[in-house]
Amino acid sequence: MTRRGMCGLLLLAVSFSGELRADDETAPVAVSPAQEVALGARVRAAFLESHPLSADGNLAVRVDELGRRLARFSDRPELGYRFLVVQGGELQASSIPGGTVCLTEGLTRLYTDDDELAFAIGHELAHLT
């Protein structure tokens, strides 16, 4: 996801809260870890309404196991991470505040090697940290 897309996702998260406001879109918005998790849960729910979870359990397990191994070494290992695979052939990955990483089936299937898939997941983890 592009930086602009991530900023839009964060602004969407902020708009869900109804509490945080920034007059200037470029001004950073500080949120507590608890606020981040609460906002992330709402954004994740909205995201999953338009991006259904994959029915491929093997992909889901592969991404979840690899993501959890990587998250232990992130700058925020205590964050309650979720690693999800969503339907779609596009080559897309998204990170949602609060610790959710979503990859499309297309992106996940592109990487037959776990090292390659780890790179994509690690990139999204960097957004979250």
Side-chain angles (χ1 to χ4, degrees):
M1 178 172 273
T2 65
R3 180 183 166 119
R4 179 180 290 250
M6 282 307 302
C7 290
L9 192 56
L10 182 55
L11 289 174
L12 175 64
V14 171
S15 69
F16 272 112
S17 75
E19 301 166 4
L20 305 172
R21 305 231 192 286
D23 293 333
D24 178 4
E25 272 190 33
T26 62
V29 177
V31 295
S32 71
Q35 287 174 312
E36 177 188 3
V37 169
L39 292 172
R42 291 190 291 258
V43 171
R44 181 179 58 246
F47 180 83
L48 291 175
E49 284 182 18
S50 60
H51 299 82
L53 290 173
S54 172
D56 188 330
N58 291 330
L59 284 181
V61 168
R62 180 178 174 221
V63 167
D64 185 63
E65 287 178 351
L66 188 54
R68 290 186 185 286
R69 280 190 281 159
L70 291 169
R72 291 187 311 211
F73 300 99
S74 75
D75 289 342
R76 298 177 71 192
E78 75 289 346
L79 196 59
Y81 291 99
R82 292 174 186 235
F83 299 92
L84 307 174
V85 179
V86 296
Q87 295 177 14
E90 310 85 24
L91 304 180
Q92 288 286 325
S94 302
S95 52
I96 298 171
T100 300
V101 172
C102 297
L103 288 86
T104 60
E105 293 167 325
L107 182 66
T108 305
R109 288 187 178 118
L110 175 69
Y111 299 125
T112 57
D113 183 285
D114 279 355
D115 291 341
E116 295 170 333
L117 183 57
F119 181 83
I121 293 171
H123 176 91
E124 295 308 313
L125 284 172
H127 287 298
L128 295 171
T129 60

mmCIF file of all heavy atoms in Angstrom, residues 51-52 54 59 85-93 103-110:
data_model
loop_
_atom_site.group_PDB
_atom_site.id
_atom_site.type_symbol
_atom_site.label_atom_id
_atom_site.label_comp_id
_atom_site.label_asym_id
_atom_site.label_seq_id
_atom_site.Cartn_x
_atom_site.Cartn_y
_atom_site.Cartn_z
ATOM 1 N N HIS A 51 -13.238 -6.783 1.710
ATOM 2 C CA HIS A 51 -12.149 -7.703 1.368
ATOM 3 C C HIS A 51 -12.344 -8.982 2.184
ATOM 4 O O HIS A 51 -11.705 -9.160 3.227
ATOM 5 C CB HIS A 51 -10.787 -7.083 1.696
ATOM 6 C CG HIS A 51 -10.490 -5.827 0.971
ATOM 7 N ND1 HIS A 51 -10.969 -4.599 1.387
ATOM 8 C CD2 HIS A 51 -9.783 -5.595 -0.150
ATOM 9 C CE1 HIS A 51 -10.550 -3.672 0.549
ATOM 10 N NE2 HIS A 51 -9.840 -4.241 -0.395
ATOM 11 N N PRO A 52 -13.213 -9.890 1.731
ATOM 12 C CA PRO A 52 -13.501 -11.100 2.511
ATOM 13 C C PRO A 52 -12.265 -11.974 2.713
ATOM 14 O O PRO A 52 -11.366 -12.006 1.863
ATOM 15 C CB PRO A 52 -14.546 -11.841 1.674
ATOM 16 C CG PRO A 52 -14.977 -10.902 0.611
ATOM 17 C CD PRO A 52 -13.954 -9.835 0.485
ATOM 18 N N SER A 54 -9.908 -15.190 2.825
ATOM 19 C CA SER A 54 -9.703 -16.307 1.919
ATOM 20 C C SER A 54 -10.268 -17.582 2.542
ATOM 21 O O SER A 54 -10.215 -17.774 3.760
ATOM 22 C CB SER A 54 -8.202 -16.485 1.661
ATOM 23 O OG SER A 54 -7.960 -17.670 0.943
ATOM 24 N N LEU A 59 -3.132 -21.285 2.993
ATOM 25 C CA LEU A 59 -2.523 -19.952 2.859
ATOM 26 C C LEU A 59 -2.618 -19.197 4.176
ATOM 27 O O LEU A 59 -1.654 -18.554 4.606
ATOM 28 C CB LEU A 59 -3.216 -19.137 1.763
ATOM 29 C CG LEU A 59 -2.922 -19.469 0.314
ATOM 30 C CD1 LEU A 59 -3.693 -18.532 -0.605
ATOM 31 C CD2 LEU A 59 -1.446 -19.419 0.016
ATOM 32 N N VAL A 85 -5.223 -13.498 5.271
ATOM 33 C CA VAL A 85 -5.206 -13.580 3.815
ATOM 34 C C VAL A 85 -6.620 -13.278 3.352
ATOM 35 O O VAL A 85 -7.586 -13.870 3.842
ATOM 36 C CB VAL A 85 -4.765 -14.976 3.325
ATOM 37 C CG1 VAL A 85 -4.790 -15.035 1.797
ATOM 38 C CG2 VAL A 85 -3.378 -15.312 3.851
ATOM 39 N N VAL A 86 -6.736 -12.319 2.442
ATOM 40 C CA VAL A 86 -8.041 -11.934 1.909
ATOM 41 C C VAL A 86 -8.147 -12.366 0.452
ATOM 42 O O VAL A 86 -7.145 -12.583 -0.219
ATOM 43 C CB VAL A 86 -8.302 -10.407 2.055
ATOM 44 C CG1 VAL A 86 -8.358 -10.010 3.525
ATOM 45 C CG2 VAL A 86 -7.269 -9.595 1.311
ATOM 46 N N GLN A 87 -9.372 -12.491 -0.001
ATOM 47 C CA GLN A 87 -9.629 -12.902 -1.381
ATOM 48 C C GLN A 87 -9.110 -11.853 -2.352
ATOM 49 O O GLN A 87 -9.083 -10.663 -2.039
ATOM 50 C CB GLN A 87 -11.127 -13.102 -1.598
ATOM 51 C CG GLN A 87 -11.701 -14.231 -0.801
ATOM 52 C CD GLN A 87 -13.209 -14.349 -0.980
ATOM 53 O OE1 GLN A 87 -13.801 -13.757 -1.879
ATOM 54 N NE2 GLN A 87 -13.838 -15.134 -0.107
ATOM 55 N N GLY A 88 -8.710 -12.307 -3.514
ATOM 56 C CA GLY A 88 -8.308 -11.384 -4.576
ATOM 57 C C GLY A 88 -7.019 -11.798 -5.242
ATOM 58 O O GLY A 88 -6.107 -12.305 -4.588
ATOM 59 N N GLY A 89 -6.970 -11.576 -6.534
ATOM 60 C CA GLY A 89 -5.789 -11.910 -7.304
ATOM 61 C C GLY A 89 -4.768 -10.792 -7.390
ATOM 62 O O GLY A 89 -3.671 -10.982 -7.906
ATOM 63 N N GLU A 90 -5.138 -9.608 -6.900
ATOM 64 C CA GLU A 90 -4.217 -8.477 -6.964
ATOM 65 C C GLU A 90 -2.978 -8.771 -6.101
ATOM 66 O O GLU A 90 -3.025 -9.575 -5.186
ATOM 67 C CB GLU A 90 -4.859 -7.183 -6.434
ATOM 68 C CG GLU A 90 -6.198 -6.851 -6.992
ATOM 69 C CD GLU A 90 -7.322 -7.557 -6.249
ATOM 70 O OE1 GLU A 90 -7.156 -7.922 -5.079
ATOM 71 O OE2 GLU A 90 -8.367 -7.765 -6.868
ATOM 72 N N LEU A 91 -1.926 -8.077 -6.387
ATOM 73 C CA LEU A 91 -0.699 -8.195 -5.590
ATOM 74 C C LEU A 91 -0.701 -7.041 -4.593
ATOM 75 O O LEU A 91 -0.082 -6.007 -4.823
ATOM 76 C CB LEU A 91 0.533 -8.158 -6.494
ATOM 77 C CG LEU A 91 0.569 -9.206 -7.608
ATOM 78 C CD1 LEU A 91 1.823 -9.064 -8.438
ATOM 79 C CD2 LEU A 91 0.436 -10.611 -7.045
ATOM 80 N N GLN A 92 -1.423 -7.233 -3.492
ATOM 81 C CA GLN A 92 -1.618 -6.168 -2.505
ATOM 82 C C GLN A 92 -1.355 -6.679 -1.097
ATOM 83 O O GLN A 92 -1.615 -7.839 -0.786
ATOM 84 C CB GLN A 92 -3.060 -5.653 -2.552
ATOM 85 C CG GLN A 92 -3.403 -4.829 -3.745
ATOM 86 C CD GLN A 92 -2.785 -3.446 -3.661
ATOM 87 O OE1 GLN A 92 -2.673 -2.869 -2.600
ATOM 88 N NE2 GLN A 92 -2.396 -2.920 -4.792
ATOM 89 N N ALA A 93 -0.891 -5.786 -0.261
ATOM 90 C CA ALA A 93 -0.759 -6.042 1.170
ATOM 91 C C ALA A 93 -1.154 -4.763 1.883
ATOM 92 O O ALA A 93 -0.938 -3.661 1.375
ATOM 93 C CB ALA A 93 0.670 -6.439 1.520
ATOM 94 N N LEU A 103 -2.800 -9.778 3.467
ATOM 95 C CA LEU A 103 -2.223 -10.026 2.155
ATOM 96 C C LEU A 103 -3.293 -10.661 1.279
ATOM 97 O O LEU A 103 -4.099 -11.461 1.773
ATOM 98 C CB LEU A 103 -1.025 -10.976 2.254
ATOM 99 C CG LEU A 103 0.244 -10.417 2.867
ATOM 100 C CD1 LEU A 103 0.202 -10.562 4.362
ATOM 101 C CD2 LEU A 103 1.443 -11.109 2.305
ATOM 102 N N THR A 104 -3.290 -10.331 0.006
ATOM 103 C CA THR A 104 -4.236 -10.967 -0.910
ATOM 104 C C THR A 104 -3.754 -12.373 -1.244
ATOM 105 O O THR A 104 -2.567 -12.691 -1.125
ATOM 106 C CB THR A 104 -4.381 -10.168 -2.216
ATOM 107 O OG1 THR A 104 -3.099 -10.101 -2.856
ATOM 108 C CG2 THR A 104 -4.953 -8.787 -1.981
ATOM 109 N N GLU A 105 -4.698 -13.197 -1.687
ATOM 110 C CA GLU A 105 -4.350 -14.545 -2.138
ATOM 111 C C GLU A 105 -3.325 -14.480 -3.264
ATOM 112 O O GLU A 105 -2.377 -15.266 -3.294
ATOM 113 C CB GLU A 105 -5.598 -15.273 -2.630
ATOM 114 C CG GLU A 105 -6.604 -15.576 -1.567
ATOM 115 C CD GLU A 105 -7.951 -16.014 -2.125
ATOM 116 O OE1 GLU A 105 -8.370 -15.499 -3.194
ATOM 117 O OE2 GLU A 105 -8.580 -16.855 -1.475
ATOM 118 N N GLY A 106 -3.515 -13.522 -4.169
ATOM 119 C CA GLY A 106 -2.600 -13.388 -5.300
ATOM 120 C C GLY A 106 -1.175 -13.133 -4.866
ATOM 121 O O GLY A 106 -0.236 -13.747 -5.380
ATOM 122 N N LEU A 107 -0.984 -12.237 -3.909
ATOM 123 C CA LEU A 107 0.356 -11.935 -3.424
ATOM 124 C C LEU A 107 0.933 -13.133 -2.686
ATOM 125 O O LEU A 107 2.100 -13.489 -2.877
ATOM 126 C CB LEU A 107 0.338 -10.711 -2.498
ATOM 127 C CG LEU A 107 1.693 -10.266 -1.971
ATOM 128 C CD1 LEU A 107 2.571 -9.757 -3.105
ATOM 129 C CD2 LEU A 107 1.530 -9.196 -0.913
ATOM 130 N N THR A 108 0.122 -13.761 -1.872
ATOM 131 C CA THR A 108 0.597 -14.898 -1.085
ATOM 132 C C THR A 108 1.011 -16.053 -1.995
ATOM 133 O O THR A 108 2.040 -16.688 -1.757
ATOM 134 C CB THR A 108 -0.497 -15.358 -0.105
ATOM 135 O OG1 THR A 108 -0.896 -14.235 0.688
ATOM 136 C CG2 THR A 108 0.008 -16.441 0.816
ATOM 137 N N ARG A 109 0.243 -16.307 -3.035
ATOM 138 C CA ARG A 109 0.569 -17.410 -3.954
ATOM 139 C C ARG A 109 1.763 -17.076 -4.843
ATOM 140 O O ARG A 109 2.440 -17.978 -5.342
ATOM 141 C CB ARG A 109 -0.645 -17.749 -4.803
ATOM 142 C CG ARG A 109 -1.720 -18.439 -4.004
ATOM 143 C CD ARG A 109 -2.855 -18.937 -4.879
ATOM 144 N NE ARG A 109 -3.834 -19.633 -4.061
ATOM 145 C CZ ARG A 109 -5.089 -19.254 -3.918
ATOM 146 N NH1 ARG A 109 -5.549 -18.193 -4.572
ATOM 147 N NH2 ARG A 109 -5.910 -19.934 -3.149
ATOM 148 N N LEU A 110 2.022 -15.798 -5.063
ATOM 149 C CA LEU A 110 3.166 -15.391 -5.881
ATOM 150 C C LEU A 110 4.468 -15.869 -5.253
ATOM 151 O O LEU A 110 5.389 -16.291 -5.943
ATOM 152 C CB LEU A 110 3.188 -13.863 -6.031
ATOM 153 C CG LEU A 110 4.385 -13.258 -6.750
ATOM 154 C CD1 LEU A 110 4.351 -13.615 -8.232
ATOM 155 C CD2 LEU A 110 4.405 -11.748 -6.561
#
